[in-house]
Amino acid sequence: MSELEEIVPFLSKTARLDLKAVALSVVLGLTGSVDGIKLLLQQEVILSNVLDLADDESEPIAKDAVLCFVNISAEEKGAQAIVDKLSSRLVPTAYRAILDDNSKLADPWCMVLCNISRPESLVETVVKELMAIEFSIEKLTTCFTRVNYNKHKGHLNYLGPLFSNISQCAVGREVFCNKTTGLLRRILPFVHHEASIVRRGGAVGLLKNVCFDSTVHEWLLSEEMDVLPFILLPLAGPEEFDDETNDKLPMELQYLGPDKKREEDPDIRKMLVESLAQLCATRKARVYLRERGTYEILRELHKYECSDLGDKSVLAAVENVVDILIRTEEEIGEDNLKTLEIPDDVKSKIETLDNKAEL
């Protein structure tokens, strides 16, 4: 029997509290290193027992148990093992804790769900487990949009990246684009949420992923959703435009004044620009973007990204969109760019250019 196997009896709700605490501290310590996690992944019984302890009546025990899963799921192999072996139990447990406005462990459970849904190979399984719970994503959205939902000052910011992860798969995007529930519309304002970069980045990631589906572009740009101001406003700076240009811009972007600040995080700026790139797929959307001053906002953003404050990968993304917007529809010659068949040799060249841009 290995040393790890010897502590299994003490990783039980019925074990004596002091022994339980010592055994759990051993597990938590192992989760602090890659080698330790690798060792734990070979012990399915230990992982199962630790999940039991996440509901322990002792708060310190429950907290350490959840933190074990935060650390393990941060490694992709750990996330894979958790999803493969425990998702049917873990996802509902995490969901109940997040929904409980009295839970002191809602935030770490948000992190666990965020971690295990990040890899594209795992997200569909996690979404399937969530969808097995009636209205789960709708209720999580309510928790997210009520900023002070948790009574113990749990921020629930990591629900943002969770929503972004969920929208990596088609089923997840369908849930957020449901016109009846209006989930996307409720989350959109958090694209501008200054208090938390995690929450803000999650909302932007969700918006970007939804934009990948050209079948919803018309709806996204409709008066009902009107996503363009949510994308352009963080990209705009204090630059002044003449009256003619201001008249083209959405009302939210007109006459912003000298105090207007751009989104500071380059990753978020890049996701916003990539959202525009996806919207450029269809002729109708391209025309809409041109008519509402998108090029003018990107022109000023381009100057910013060329400065010392800018970012090369964002600059490359801006140039990709500008290259489309400055061309006429006759030059583009396609109604939907997503239907184009791109030869393999051209694809490899594009990927090479993209990789260089990120260096």
Side-chain angles (χ1 to χ4, degrees):
M1 181 182 290
S2 69
E3 291 182 13
L4 266 183
E5 288 172 329
E6 289 177 4
I7 68 171
V8 170
F10 308 115
L11 294 169
S12 166
K13 285 185 176 182
T14 58
R16 217 172 71 195
L17 181 60
D18 57 338
L19 298 177
K20 187 163 40 178
V22 171
L24 190 55
S25 69
V26 171
V27 177
L28 183 57
L30 287 171
T31 66
S33 70
V34 174
D35 288 340
I37 290 173
K38 186 184 294 185
L39 195 62
L40 285 172
L41 296 184
Q42 299 167 15
Q43 303 288 336
E44 188 173 344
V45 174
I46 287 181
L47 294 178
S48 181
N49 285 11
V50 172
L51 182 54
D52 288 336
L53 293 180
D55 275 333
D56 197 86
E57 59 185 17
S58 164
E59 284 185 10
I61 294 293
K63 181 180 178 181
D64 282 356
V66 179
L67 290 179
C68 287
F69 285 109
V70 172
N71 293 345
I72 293 170
S73 62
E75 294 290 327
E76 188 165 338
K77 287 183 179 178
Q80 176 82 56
I82 289 172
V83 170
D84 288 347
K85 299 171 183 177
L86 298 172
S87 60
S88 62
R89 287 176 55 212
L90 182 140
V91 171
T93 299
Y95 171 77
R96 286 193 301 272
I98 295 166
L99 233 63
D100 180 1
D101 58 5
N102 271 309
S103 173
K104 294 181 180 180
L105 298 175
D107 275 342
W109 273 126
C110 285
M111 292 180 191
V112 174
L113 288 186
C114 178
N115 287 344
I116 63 173
S117 60
R118 185 181 300 116
E120 286 189 50
S121 59
L122 304 180
V123 66
E124 288 191 9
T125 303
V126 176
V127 170
K128 182 181 177 183
E129 295 295 343
L130 280 171
M131 296 289 284
I133 306 168
E134 191 173 22
F135 303 123
S136 62
I137 298 176
E138 289 83 353
K139 290 179 181 178
L140 289 174
T141 300
T142 297
C143 297
F144 181 76
T145 54
R146 293 181 186 172
V147 178
N148 297 315
Y149 177 85
N150 186 277
K151 293 176 182 176
H152 293 282
K153 298 183 179 180
H155 300 296
L156 309 186
N157 289 328
Y158 278 88
L159 285 179
L162 172 64
F163 295 158
S164 176
N165 295 343
I166 289 172
S167 64
Q168 291 180 99
C169 67
V171 174
R173 289 192 293 273
E174 286 176 13
V175 173
F176 287 110
C177 290
N178 185 309
K179 296 178 184 180
T180 303
T181 57
L183 299 188
L184 181 61
R185 191 70 185 82
R186 292 168 61 190
I187 295 170
L188 274 177
F190 292 94
V191 165
H192 306 150
H193 188 75
E194 294 183 4
S196 168
I197 190 173
V198 173
R199 182 176 284 251
R200 188 167 77 248
V204 172
L206 167 61
L207 178 56
K208 185 193 83 166
N209 288 342
V210 166
C211 287
F212 270 94
D213 185 355
S214 59
T215 65
V216 298
H217 283 183
E218 189 170 346
W219 173 66
L220 291 174
L221 296 173
S222 69
E223 190 174 332
E224 176 191 354
M225 292 301 296
D226 197 22
V227 302
L228 188 58
F230 289 100
I231 298 173
L232 293 182
L233 190 58
L235 298 176
E239 298 83 13
E240 293 184 13
F241 295 105
D242 58 32
D243 290 344
E244 183 180 351
T245 300
N246 271 303
D247 287 343
K248 288 174 65 177
L249 293 169
M251 188 175 295
E252 295 87 344
L253 282 94
Q254 295 177 9
Y255 305 101
L256 292 175
D259 296 329
K260 173 65 174 72
K261 293 182 180 179
R262 276 192 178 84
E263 168 59 55
E264 294 180 354
D265 186 79
D267 292 331
I268 292 180
R269 292 201 306 275
K270 186 179 179 184
M271 285 192 289
L272 290 164
V273 176
E274 287 171 342
S275 300
L276 292 172
Q278 294 303 320
L279 291 173
C280 282
T282 58
R283 179 192 295 261
K284 192 170 183 178
R286 291 192 295 270
V287 172
Y288 183 92
L289 297 186
R290 292 190 193 102
E291 289 177 347
R292 282 156 182 81
T294 302
Y295 165 73
E296 286 79 1
I297 295 294
L298 291 181
R299 181 188 65 203
E300 299 306 317
L301 177 61
H302 186 273
K303 295 175 186 176
Y304 176 85
E305 301 300 351
C306 286
S307 74
D308 292 339
L309 297 172
D311 181 272
K312 288 182 180 180
S313 65
V314 183
L315 179 64
V318 171
E319 290 176 346
N320 287 339
V321 179
V322 169
D323 186 51
I324 295 172
L325 293 179
I326 62 175
R327 293 158 66 192
T328 65
E329 288 304 320
E330 288 71 26
E331 289 174 319
I332 294 173
E334 289 289 337
D335 184 56
N336 190 334
L337 298 178
K338 287 184 180 284
T339 62
L340 280 174
E341 290 291 334
I342 303 176
D344 290 338
D345 61 326
V346 176
K347 280 184 183 177
S348 63
K349 288 179 182 177
I350 292 171
E351 288 170 1
T352 302
L353 289 171
D354 284 345
N355 290 335
K356 286 181 178 178
E358 290 178 3
L359 293 177

